[in-house]
Amino acid sequence: MAGRTYSGALIAPDVNSATGFQGLPFMGNFNGNLHTIRNLRMVHDSLSPAACFGLFGKIDATGGVLGLTLKDTAILGGTWTTYAGALAAYNSGVVNSCSATGVITAGSGGKVGGLVGSDSGSTVNSQADVIIVRVS
């Protein structure tokens, strides 16, 4: 991931800037096998339709992520960010044994978390050490 900057989620991305998630959520099971992704960088630009930022845009109720670490993540979502989290912008599934470090900058009205931005699913045995900066 080093040297690349993305304008939105890499897996199950948001497809427009409408409120909430608009796109096809991740419905599978992702086993990170205790691997680490380093230096994931996302920057919202005015041409990007995304309003959801994280490695995953949305994890569906049938989906899950296991055993993955995100280290030194930087998400610069700006004022248009609806959801942001290092691992997932929105989770309806299961996140188990995952962790994240880094910094997230997002609008003051969005749902932002260190690991998961908005979580209506289950997050267990996981942790985040992420600085969150709100902008208006």
Side-chain angles (χ1 to χ4, degrees), residues 22 40 54 77 124 130-131:
Q22 309 293 319
L40 175 63
V124 295
V130 175
I131 297 168

Side-chain angles (χ1 to χ4, degrees), residues 38-136:
R38 296 178 188 275
N39 302 312
L40 175 63
R41 303 279 185 254
M42 292 183 189
V43 177
H44 182 268
D45 61 46
S46 60
L47 301 177
S48 172
C52 298
F53 293 88
L55 179 63
F56 292 83
K58 181 175 182 179
I59 301 169
D60 189 72
T62 62
V65 180
L66 169 70
L68 183 63
T69 296
L70 295 160
K71 194 161 178 92
D72 300 325
T73 302
I75 298 175
L76 304 175
T79 58
W80 293 99
T81 305
T82 304
Y83 300 104
L87 180 70
Y90 192 96
N91 175 47
S92 295
V94 177
V95 171
N96 189 352
S97 301
C98 294
S99 65
T101 65
V103 63
I104 297 174
T105 302
S108 58
K111 294 184 179 185
V112 180
L115 191 63
V116 174
S118 180
D119 195 348
S120 62
S122 175
T123 300
V124 295
N125 301 320
S126 299
Q127 62 184 3
D129 183 10
V130 175
I131 297 168
I132 297 172
V133 179
R134 296 297 205 152
V135 295
S136 54

